[in-house]
Amino acid sequence: MKRITYISRPCQAMSDSEIQAISDFCHLRNRENQITGVLLYFCGLFFQTIEGDDEKIDQLFTKIRQDRRHNDVLCLKMET
């Protein structure tokens, strides 16, 4: 099992409904892949912790880093 905690900045201002849509989508997709975690948005930053199978977490974090909706992705902690 692997856990990654990171922060990032959205590329543009986001409405509450846009943030909720991202959260809802992540929840469904992560559930399908047996990934758990939390996604927070506060003071213009995303904060997320994801955990699950090592390979699935590595794949997800690669997608997160490539997602053009945010930048400045900074891994705060990685645990196995």
Side-chain angles (χ1 to χ4, degrees), residues 1-3 33-36 50-57:
M1 177 175 281
K2 183 179 270 187
R3 179 184 302 131
N33 289 296
Q34 299 178 334
I35 294 172
T36 58
I50 52 176
E51 65 181 11
D53 175 76
D54 291 11
E55 185 176 323
K56 288 182 180 181
I57 292 298

Short mmCIF file of all heavy atoms in Angstrom, two decimals, residues 1-3 33-36 50-57:
data_model
loop_
_atom_site.label_atom_id
_atom_site.label_comp_id
_atom_site.label_asym_id
_atom_site.label_seq_id
_atom_site.Cartn_x
_atom_site.Cartn_y
_atom_site.Cartn_z
N MET A 1 0.84 -1.18 0.00
CA MET A 1 0.00 0.00 0.00
C MET A 1 0.89 1.24 0.00
O MET A 1 1.92 1.27 0.65
CB MET A 1 -0.92 0.02 1.22
CG MET A 1 -1.76 1.28 1.26
SD MET A 1 -2.98 1.32 2.57
CE MET A 1 -4.23 0.30 1.86
N LYS A 2 0.45 2.24 -0.75
CA LYS A 2 1.19 3.50 -0.85
C LYS A 2 0.25 4.66 -0.53
O LYS A 2 -0.94 4.61 -0.86
CB LYS A 2 1.76 3.66 -2.25
CG LYS A 2 2.60 4.91 -2.42
CD LYS A 2 3.15 5.01 -3.83
CE LYS A 2 4.50 4.32 -3.88
NZ LYS A 2 5.18 4.50 -5.16
N ARG A 3 0.81 5.69 0.09
CA ARG A 3 0.06 6.92 0.39
C ARG A 3 0.88 8.11 -0.09
O ARG A 3 2.07 8.20 0.22
CB ARG A 3 -0.20 7.04 1.88
CG ARG A 3 -0.96 8.32 2.24
CD ARG A 3 -1.13 8.48 3.75
NE ARG A 3 -1.83 7.34 4.30
CZ ARG A 3 -1.42 6.66 5.38
NH1 ARG A 3 -0.31 7.01 6.01
NH2 ARG A 3 -2.11 5.65 5.84
N ASN A 33 -11.27 2.12 -8.34
CA ASN A 33 -9.90 1.62 -8.29
C ASN A 33 -9.42 1.28 -6.88
O ASN A 33 -8.23 1.08 -6.67
CB ASN A 33 -8.95 2.65 -8.94
CG ASN A 33 -9.14 2.72 -10.43
OD1 ASN A 33 -8.89 1.74 -11.13
ND2 ASN A 33 -9.60 3.84 -10.92
N GLN A 34 -10.35 1.25 -5.94
CA GLN A 34 -10.05 0.93 -4.55
C GLN A 34 -8.97 1.85 -3.98
O GLN A 34 -8.05 1.41 -3.29
CB GLN A 34 -9.67 -0.54 -4.40
CG GLN A 34 -10.78 -1.48 -4.81
CD GLN A 34 -10.40 -2.93 -4.73
OE1 GLN A 34 -9.24 -3.30 -4.82
NE2 GLN A 34 -11.41 -3.77 -4.53
N ILE A 35 -9.11 3.13 -4.29
CA ILE A 35 -8.23 4.16 -3.77
C ILE A 35 -9.03 5.01 -2.80
O ILE A 35 -10.16 5.40 -3.08
CB ILE A 35 -7.67 5.04 -4.92
CG1 ILE A 35 -6.76 4.20 -5.81
CG2 ILE A 35 -6.94 6.26 -4.37
CD1 ILE A 35 -6.31 4.91 -7.08
N THR A 36 -8.44 5.27 -1.65
CA THR A 36 -9.10 6.11 -0.66
C THR A 36 -8.29 7.38 -0.47
O THR A 36 -7.14 7.47 -0.89
CB THR A 36 -9.25 5.39 0.69
OG1 THR A 36 -7.95 5.01 1.16
CG2 THR A 36 -10.13 4.15 0.57
N ILE A 50 -3.94 10.49 -1.13
CA ILE A 50 -4.49 9.31 -1.79
C ILE A 50 -3.73 8.09 -1.30
O ILE A 50 -2.54 8.17 -1.02
CB ILE A 50 -4.40 9.43 -3.33
CG1 ILE A 50 -2.97 9.78 -3.78
CG2 ILE A 50 -5.39 10.46 -3.85
CD1 ILE A 50 -2.76 9.81 -5.28
N GLU A 51 -4.45 6.98 -1.18
CA GLU A 51 -3.77 5.75 -0.75
C GLU A 51 -4.44 4.55 -1.39
O GLU A 51 -5.63 4.56 -1.68
CB GLU A 51 -3.73 5.62 0.76
CG GLU A 51 -5.07 5.46 1.43
CD GLU A 51 -4.97 5.35 2.94
OE1 GLU A 51 -3.89 5.60 3.51
OE2 GLU A 51 -5.98 5.01 3.55
N GLY A 52 -3.61 3.52 -1.63
CA GLY A 52 -4.09 2.30 -2.24
C GLY A 52 -2.93 1.48 -2.76
O GLY A 52 -1.78 1.68 -2.35
N ASP A 53 -3.25 0.59 -3.68
CA ASP A 53 -2.24 -0.27 -4.31
C ASP A 53 -1.13 0.58 -4.91
O ASP A 53 -1.39 1.59 -5.56
CB ASP A 53 -2.92 -1.11 -5.40
CG ASP A 53 -1.95 -1.93 -6.19
OD1 ASP A 53 -1.49 -2.97 -5.67
OD2 ASP A 53 -1.62 -1.51 -7.33
N ASP A 54 0.12 0.18 -4.68
CA ASP A 54 1.28 0.95 -5.14
C ASP A 54 1.18 1.35 -6.61
O ASP A 54 1.36 2.52 -6.96
CB ASP A 54 2.58 0.17 -4.94
CG ASP A 54 2.97 -0.02 -3.49
OD1 ASP A 54 2.15 0.26 -2.60
OD2 ASP A 54 4.11 -0.44 -3.26
N GLU A 55 0.91 0.40 -7.48
CA GLU A 55 0.87 0.66 -8.91
C GLU A 55 -0.27 1.62 -9.27
O GLU A 55 -0.08 2.54 -10.07
CB GLU A 55 0.71 -0.65 -9.69
CG GLU A 55 0.79 -0.47 -11.19
CD GLU A 55 0.74 -1.80 -11.93
OE1 GLU A 55 1.31 -2.79 -11.44
OE2 GLU A 55 0.13 -1.82 -13.01
N LYS A 56 -1.43 1.42 -8.68
CA LYS A 56 -2.56 2.30 -8.97
C LYS A 56 -2.31 3.73 -8.48
O LYS A 56 -2.68 4.69 -9.15
CB LYS A 56 -3.83 1.75 -8.35
CG LYS A 56 -4.34 0.52 -9.07
CD LYS A 56 -5.62 0.01 -8.47
CE LYS A 56 -6.08 -1.23 -9.22
NZ LYS A 56 -7.33 -1.76 -8.69
N ILE A 57 -1.65 3.86 -7.32
CA ILE A 57 -1.33 5.19 -6.81
C ILE A 57 -0.30 5.86 -7.70
O ILE A 57 -0.41 7.06 -8.01
CB ILE A 57 -0.85 5.11 -5.34
CG1 ILE A 57 -2.00 4.69 -4.43
CG2 ILE A 57 -0.25 6.44 -4.89
CD1 ILE A 57 -3.18 5.65 -4.40
#
